[in-house]
Amino acid sequence: LAALERQVFDFLGYQWAPILANFLHIIIVILGLFGTIQYRPRYIVVYAIWTAVWVTWNIFIICFYLEVGGLSKDSELLTFNISRHQSWWSENGPGCVRKEASMSGIKGLDNHSYISVIGCALEYRYIEVMHSSFQILIALVGFVYACYVVSVFTEEEDSFDFIGGFDPFPLYHVNEKPTNLLFKQTYLLLFPTGFSGMEIMYK
């Protein structure tokens, strides 16, 4: 649900890189849930590996909006340099008032407008940081749970007894003696050694 909520607001802000990342995350989460319900440890392992990638991505988003390491929140990195859109929260955050002023009097800027946002109770980059931090927390919890489920499934597979397969003397013992030897033993039980004629005929 948290990923879906984030996906909606990234769509509203035309943030194409986060949109793709969120889409992959939703698919992997569904795969992990399917693996848990259907007892497929491999799917859960895939989810556990993805959580590490997801945490790394969200750390990058935090660094991006906090402008760590030369990153700039005003760059077009998250939109693949195909648009100048920013986070939807930059104009629609809590308490934000969006004002639009015409710039028709300035040469070369006719039919354009200047948009200013004032009165925001919380700057949009901190909202994005909070979103990413929450995703990291959920991913860490999911990783621990995935490891636990895989360990439980592995223990169940190791302790499962395939029709006495782990017993020293199985209940259903298969006699591996050749068929002709078994027939000979049966014949000797039915006809004692005193019947020499019968033995000659058998031979």
Side-chain angles (χ1 to χ4, degrees):
L1 292 177
L4 287 173
E5 178 266 342
R6 189 178 185 184
Q7 181 76 312
V8 169
F9 290 112
D10 286 335
F11 259 116
L12 293 174
Y14 301 99
Q15 304 293 290
W16 303 117
I19 287 172
L20 291 176
N22 293 333
F23 178 76
L24 286 175
H25 180 63
I26 293 171
I27 296 298
I28 298 298
V29 168
I30 294 174
L31 188 67
L33 291 174
F34 177 79
T36 303
I37 296 173
Q38 296 295 324
Y39 299 94
R40 303 290 181 86
R42 291 182 181 179
Y43 294 167
I44 305 175
V45 170
V46 171
Y47 169 76
I49 295 173
W50 170 255
T51 54
V53 178
W54 185 242
V55 168
T56 304
W57 167 255
N58 282 280
I59 291 174
F60 167 76
I61 294 295
I62 292 174
C63 294
F64 177 82
Y65 282 107
L66 294 180
E67 300 183 333
V68 177
L71 296 171
S72 174
K73 61 181 174 53
D74 297 322
S75 67
E76 302 173 8
L77 185 62
L78 297 184
T79 59
F80 296 136
N81 296 323
I82 59 177
S83 67
R84 298 186 62 84
H85 290 91
Q86 290 184 337
S87 171
W88 182 83
W89 297 103
S90 63
E91 298 180 6
N92 301 277
C96 292
V97 178
R98 184 174 182 270
K99 290 186 176 182
E100 187 172 335
S102 177
M103 303 184 69
S104 58
I106 302 177
K107 183 179 179 181
L109 293 178
D110 293 343
N111 300 325
H112 287 73
S113 59
Y114 175 75
I115 299 174
S116 62
V117 181
I118 58 174
C120 294
L122 185 64
E123 194 174 349
Y124 75 93
R125 62 175 180 169
Y126 296 119
I127 298 178
E128 293 287 358
V129 168
M130 290 170 58
H131 269 96
S132 295
S133 301
F134 186 63
Q135 290 293 329
I136 291 174
L137 178 61
I138 295 177
L140 293 176
V141 173
F143 177 80
V144 173
Y145 178 75
C147 292
Y148 170 74
V149 172
V150 170
S151 65
V152 170
F153 287 173
T154 304
E155 290 177 359
E156 289 181 354
E157 290 179 356
D158 291 341
S159 61
F160 186 74
D161 186 2
F162 291 97
I163 316 179
F166 295 99
D167 295 337
F169 299 99
L171 179 62
Y172 301 97
H173 179 70
V174 179
N175 200 327
E176 298 180 354
K177 293 183 178 180
T179 306
N180 59 348
L181 184 59
L182 290 174
F183 179 76
K184 186 174 181 179
Q185 289 178 349
T186 305
Y187 176 82
L188 291 176
L189 287 174
L190 293 176
F191 301 98
T193 56
F195 296 94
S196 58
M198 296 297 293
E199 288 182 356
I200 294 173
M201 289 179 61
Y202 171 74
K203 294 180 179 179

